[in-house]
Amino acid sequence: MVAAGATVVITYDRIRRPLRRLEQGPGVVPGSVDPTPYTHYSILAAIESRYGLPALGGAETANVLPL
């Protein structure tokens, strides 16, 4: 069960393949598709951005995952 207002991100990674993700939350349009390439650093960049933290390592140049 997801608390009201929570965003849940499930990632699926296969070796040497693009990161796949499913996202559920109040700001997500059901059935929408985002063609932007994301990496594990994108998730880190999103968390850092959300909390106003400086970007670390590969998160500095990663596409920020919209949360």
Side-chain angles (χ1 to χ4, degrees), residues 19 37-47 58-59 62-66:
L19 182 69
Y38 296 108
T39 67
H40 290 89
Y41 290 115
S42 298
I43 297 169
L44 175 60
I47 294 168
N63 291 321
V64 179
L65 182 73

Side-chain angles (χ1 to χ4, degrees), residues 15-67:
I15 297 173
R16 300 180 192 268
R17 301 232 178 188
L19 182 69
R20 305 282 186 219
R21 70 174 169 67
L22 299 172
E23 191 171 337
Q24 176 73 32
V28 179
V29 178
S32 62
V33 176
D34 181 355
T36 306
Y38 296 108
T39 67
H40 290 89
Y41 290 115
S42 298
I43 297 169
L44 175 60
I47 294 168
E48 292 166 339
S49 175
R50 171 69 65 93
Y51 292 102
L53 301 170
L56 300 172
E60 293 177 323
T61 57
N63 291 321
V64 179
L65 182 73
L67 292 180

